[in-house]
Amino acid sequence: MRTLGAGRLLGTGARRMADAVLFEFLHTEMVAELWAQDPDPGPGGQKVSLSVLEGMGFRVGQALGERLPRETLAFREELDVLKFLCKDVWAAVFQKQMDSLRTNHQGTYVLQDNSFPLLIRMASGLQYLEEAPKFLAFTCGLLRGTLSTLGIKSLVTASVAALPACKFQVVIQRS
């Protein structure tokens, strides 16, 4: 009996769903492992854990940016780069586009995802709202790393007002 490769067996849609589940599981385990080292780390310990997650995301974002086609690297304006992040990069990582992009035209952008995949499982209770920042640090780094590869230095922060929606604020660092 001949066996089929995973690609043929699962098909494109099922493979993407499996990839998304594996990424979500890996992300959850990274967060859990960093917080398991010290279950009550206090304010300083939380900053270190968030910084580690953000750094991991930054490196993944850099690697993702390095794999982009050459024509992608020829954006003329910041807004075009952010649109690309919201549509193409977000779809590649989370199988959906960002819900909205706003700017003040002075180097600050707000990207909103109304059903952020890494927060959906937490959306069942308000008690998880204070846990949400742990699950956003990696993605902040991912955005910052991708932007860095595209030649844009930035500061990326995230906020959650109601689960599973979140906002990422990108502030471009001018030199």
Side-chain angles (χ1 to χ4, degrees), residues 38 58 64 83 103 106 157 164:
D38 188 357
F58 181 82
L64 184 63
K83 286 179 182 177
T103 181
Q106 295 176 0
T157 56

Side-chain angles (χ1 to χ4, degrees), residues 53-128:
L53 282 169
E54 199 270 347
M56 292 168 75
F58 181 82
R59 182 60 195 118
V60 170
Q62 281 181 317
L64 184 63
E66 290 167 358
R67 287 176 172 73
L68 296 173
R70 290 254 182 239
E71 59 272 5
T72 303
L73 304 175
F75 288 115
R76 293 187 180 194
E77 297 189 24
E78 288 173 354
L79 184 58
D80 293 330
V81 174
L82 272 293
K83 286 179 182 177
F84 174 75
L85 278 180
C86 290
K87 292 179 181 180
D88 299 316
V89 173
W90 211 253
V93 177
F94 298 110
Q95 287 80 46
K96 66 187 273 317
Q97 291 184 1
M98 188 73 73
D99 292 306
S100 73
L101 168 64
R102 297 172 194 244
T103 181
N104 65 358
H105 299 288
Q106 295 176 0
T108 300
Y109 300 87
V110 177
L111 294 68
Q112 181 163 344
D113 190 331
N114 295 326
S115 59
F116 185 56
L118 299 177
L119 296 179
I120 288 176
R121 298 201 192 280
M122 304 169 84
S124 61
L126 290 175
Q127 72 270 24
Y128 298 117

Side-chain angles (χ1 to χ4, degrees), residues 105-170:
H105 299 288
Q106 295 176 0
T108 300
Y109 300 87
V110 177
L111 294 68
Q112 181 163 344
D113 190 331
N114 295 326
S115 59
F116 185 56
L118 299 177
L119 296 179
I120 288 176
R121 298 201 192 280
M122 304 169 84
S124 61
L126 290 175
Q127 72 270 24
Y128 298 117
L129 192 58
E130 66 185 45
E131 299 291 318
K134 296 181 199 179
F135 293 88
L136 299 174
F138 179 86
T139 308
C140 287
L142 180 90
L143 290 169
R144 194 172 65 85
T146 305
L147 286 168
S148 174
T149 302
L150 295 172
I152 298 174
K153 287 181 68 175
S154 63
L155 175 64
V156 180
T157 56
S159 62
V160 177
L163 292 169
C166 66
K167 291 181 182 180
F168 296 92
Q169 182 175 355
V170 178

